Amino acid sequence: MNMGKRFLLTLISIFIFASAALAYENPRWMHMPITVYIPKDTNAVAQNAFKTWQSVSSGTVRFIYKDSANLGKLCNIRVEVIDTPLGDNGYSVEQTAMMFDKTGYYQKNGFFYKTTIKISTKDANNKNISNSKMQAIALKAVGEAIGIKPVKDDTVLMSLSDDLKVKKITSKDLDALNKIYKSDTKYVK
């Protein structure tokens, strides 16, 4: 094999391994739109959070809402608003990459399959959370559910901090979203 072919083969190998590492580091949804179930009797802040992410992302992330409990079981993201405290941050996001086909369950590494978001209406002291704070909590929970990891930066919504100093999606949050979804458009349609 000549030197040029070896070099080209090496470059291709590096690209493939780098792409695989990015998928493991930044899991994401395989297809758009993402189906979402939010019970009808739920506070509107959850649906507003999804609409806000879709709007500010200029369609990078898109959602379809299902309002039937039966269809909700099939949705990618299921939202629950609860009246019990969920610690200091007021939400939890549980994700799985397990998928099912005719051969059984299998894992598709680097991609989400199902997510449950729980948003509390009560703080750690069992006091009601204000609507503006619940909106920030919902935005942060949806950001995590679509794959944006919290970072050590108090100037962004997706901060590791639970104090929610930033209550809106920032340009750095959008950069993090675009890094995940625009880096590999092979799967996201």
Side-chain angles (χ1 to χ4, degrees):
M1 187 182 299
N2 70 24
M3 190 64 135
K5 287 183 179 178
R6 281 187 190 170
F7 180 72
L8 185 59
L9 185 61
T10 302
L11 280 177
I12 291 170
S13 298
I14 289 170
F15 178 74
I16 289 170
F17 288 121
S19 296
L22 179 66
Y24 287 114
E25 180 183 323
N26 295 312
R28 60 197 183 279
W29 293 96
M30 186 181 294
H31 298 286
M32 295 290 166
I34 301 166
T35 57
V36 179
Y37 172 66
I38 304 172
K40 289 180 184 179
D41 60 344
T42 300
N43 189 316
V45 296
Q47 191 160 4
N48 288 341
F50 283 97
K51 287 179 179 179
T52 300
W53 273 107
Q54 181 170 308
S55 174
V56 300
S57 76
S58 300
T60 299
V61 290
R62 297 178 307 282
F63 307 100
I64 291 178
Y65 307 97
K66 304 294 181 183
D67 58 5
S68 156
N70 287 334
L71 289 175
K73 295 174 186 173
L74 303 173
C75 286
N76 300 116
I77 299 177
R78 183 178 181 85
V79 178
E80 299 173 20
V81 176
I82 60 174
D83 290 328
T84 55
L86 283 171
D88 291 335
N89 64 2
Y91 74 94
S92 71
V93 176
E94 301 164 8
Q95 294 177 306
T96 181
M98 297 301 287
M99 301 176 117
F100 183 79
D101 67 8
K102 60 186 172 189
T103 62
Y105 284 98
Y106 66 96
Q107 187 159 359
K108 183 87 171 168
N109 290 323
F111 296 100
F112 298 130
Y113 175 62
K114 293 279 186 186
T115 296
T116 300
I117 299 174
K118 293 182 181 176
I119 301 171
S120 177
T121 61
K122 306 282 185 180
D123 66 14
N125 297 320
N126 209 29
K127 294 183 180 174
N128 288 335
I129 296 174
S130 70
N131 273 349
S132 65
K133 187 170 182 180
M134 272 192 65
Q135 185 64 43
I137 289 169
L139 281 171
K140 191 169 180 180
V142 171
E144 193 172 319
I146 59 178
I148 303 173
K149 292 183 179 177
V151 294
K152 292 180 182 178
D153 183 349
D154 288 341
T155 66
V156 298
L157 174 71
M158 297 306 298
S159 170
L160 279 171
S161 173
D162 292 332
D163 63 14
L164 295 170
K165 290 180 184 174
V166 179
K167 293 181 173 29
K168 294 182 180 180
I169 299 167
T170 68
S171 61
K172 287 182 181 180
D173 295 315
L174 286 176
D175 289 345
L177 177 75
N178 288 331
K179 180 181 176 187
I180 297 167
Y181 288 96
K182 291 195 174 177
S183 63
D184 183 3
T185 56
K186 176 181 173 186
Y187 292 102
V188 180
K189 304 214 187 274

